[in-house]
Amino acid sequence: MKVALLATHLNLTDQSMPLRTLTLISLLAVSLCPSLPADVTLPSIVSDGMILQRDSDLTVWGWADPDEKVSVHFLGKSLSTTADAAGNWQVSLPPSPAGGPHQMRIAGKNEITLRNILMGDVWLCSGQSNMTHAFDRWQEEYAAEIAASKNAQIRQFRVPTNPILTGPQKDFPGLSWQEADPQSLLEFTVVGYFHAKKLFDKYKVPQGIIMSCVGGTRIEAWTSEAGFKNFPDILDTIERNKDTEYVNRINAEAKADRESDTPPPSEDRGLASAPKWYDPAHQPLNWKSINIPGYWEDQGLRNLDGVVWYRREIEIPAALAGQEIKVKLGRIRNADELYVNGQKVGNTTYEYPQRRYTIPTDLTKPGKNLFVIRVTNYAGSGGFIHDKPYQLEVAGQTIDLKGTWHYKVGEVYRPTRSYKQGISAQSQPSALYNGMIAPFTRYGLHGMLWYQGESNAGNPVSYREFLPNLIADWRQQWNAPNATFLIAQLPNFMDIDFLPPSHSNWAEMREVQLQTALETPNTGLGIAIDLGEWNDIHPGNKKQVGERLALQAMQHAYGETDLVTSGPLFRSQEIVDDTIVLHFDHTGSGLVSSNGEQLAHFAIAGEDKKFVWGDAVIKGDTVVVSSDEVPAPRYVRYAWADNPDFANLGNAEGLPASPFRTDR
């Protein structure tokens, strides 16, 4: 009626009225109309196939019209509520035991029925790339596990990368729960899946995984704004980033600065020539010898960022030609393209993935086959990383690709200056929390898995504040002050040092993770010091990482008191004459050398803290360390290095000791 009266008063039928006035009146008329009925809606995580946390009060929430009555019917219980003035509603369901499948009905002006719901245990799996690695990256290593993975009792809810600078989001639409099977498992986090599988195998309780992680990210991005109340500088940054105009301006200035230094046009000679260098018709004049694997900087080439071509003729026996051939090219820094007999068969655009390509059956021939690899390196050392597989695999046989190849430089990149830096959203404080954690903080959890730290390893001192702060923040956001929090300790990585190093950021990061676990209630540590690879920040043995976190869950989340869930943890030392006696917790059935050799990687020092390798011997549940070079010992360090590859203290249950130092 108000609209009709308004139209009559203003004579909306007057064709002479300006269009701008008509538009304004139309908007005003719409604003006076009652809101159209809105369907009751749910967040994406509350959906078909979800696993709800058993034995716990549960929140079901969503949106509707203001003041709309909404009811939730589940397991014989009916609860009703009314949406508030903003259309928000929620109900609290009483605890229910493990089991299912069940249905849930939500009714307002419309009705929603959710099916195939299980009651079980739900785990948030977060962090950076080692948690993001899914089975699609490790299909060969875990082929048997993938093939046997069909299990509707293990499910994952995968959250794509979604940094938000402006504030916490209410939902992340379009996501869904997936049951484990050989196809869907390719998107499951490897660490999270093996954690869940070990727990399911033991307790037969459904296991849900919320996979919310992003490679190359810092802990600050995963902490909420409220969690930084004691970090005023970070709060200032968060507030600035909420100004979209400011962010766009900074990024535009950075883009303009980069473009102002555009190098003169250049081209890769290998692609510009006719025939191209990967073409069998190309005559390889003036190509020189080089080895695979290895960096070209270590083989006589300096100041070379750019494109280098490798070529070699590989002999394929007649019995193997014409079959599908798997190519393993280890890892390459940074990008590569593989050509076989002039045809491109695969490429990878960045350093970290394992290079695994398949040659079609019609592409090879008996005898010599031309293999050409175009390698692009943007900075640092370029070429092929050591200690990775370089071979062809066909019909159960292998053909080695290591050794002498020939190379020619296709393009040399001009050195670049330092540019203005833009604002990368996923690297900003709270951005990943806003978009990838906040939408789910009302969803009940059994615990949280955290595999992160590589991107913060340059400053372990600040991480000593950030890690316990994150734990407290997430527990507060979930209103779960005792939620189990499990930390994957950083594994061994980088060069092996055969002298006691004076400093190691990675060792200090492991110490921060250990101390946080020891000092924070209901927090566990999965020790992985024996599971890394010197040349790969993404080691392949993720199954044991997940299973060791599951052992910690058995203690902290399931109350197991009789299980050995950890390797030895340093407790105290005592100086006895010219020796230091080390005492440990979690010795299990006894301390052992994990490889059967003499204990190694124990360093000892006096007051001067000049560490030398010590002689270490197991005596009962202690380790006695001494050195003729240190007559008055005061301190010991164990596995205190980026990559303490030969550290070998563990317990009889096969779990390694955590690195430690006594000179803090």
Side-chain angles (χ1 to χ4, degrees), residues 63-82:
W63 303 275
D65 279 336
D67 300 321
E68 181 175 351
K69 291 183 178 180
V70 179
S71 60
V72 177
H73 310 272
F74 186 59
L75 293 179
K77 301 287 193 306
S78 295
L79 296 130
S80 297
T81 189
T82 301

Side-chain angles (χ1 to χ4, degrees), residues 69 72 100 143-144 154 179 391 659 661:
K69 291 183 178 180
V72 177
I154 300 177
E179 297 179 359
Q391 61 192 34
R661 59 176 172 172

Side-chain angles (χ1 to χ4, degrees), residues 611-648:
F611 284 90
V612 299
W613 293 129
D615 297 316
V617 179
I618 295 172
K619 291 189 176 180
D621 285 341
T622 69
V623 173
V624 180
V625 187
S626 63
S627 171
D628 291 341
E629 299 179 60
V630 186
R634 290 292 180 270
Y635 309 111
V636 167
R637 293 178 174 179
Y638 170 70
W640 196 260
D642 296 336
N643 183 8
D645 183 66
F646 46 96
N648 59 351

Side-chain angles (χ1 to χ4, degrees), residues 45-105:
I45 198 169
V46 180
S47 54
D48 290 339
M50 64 181 169
I51 294 183
L52 293 172
Q53 181 56 46
R54 63 175 173 131
D55 301 330
S56 174
D57 291 334
L58 293 173
T59 299
V60 176
W61 74 100
W63 303 275
D65 279 336
D67 300 321
E68 181 175 351
K69 291 183 178 180
V70 179
S71 60
V72 177
H73 310 272
F74 186 59
L75 293 179
K77 301 287 193 306
S78 295
L79 296 130
S80 297
T81 189
T82 301
D84 65 19
N88 302 301
W89 62 265
Q90 71 175 43
V91 300
S92 181
L93 297 173
S96 298
H102 306 300
Q103 290 190 9
M104 178 183 294
R105 185 167 62 88

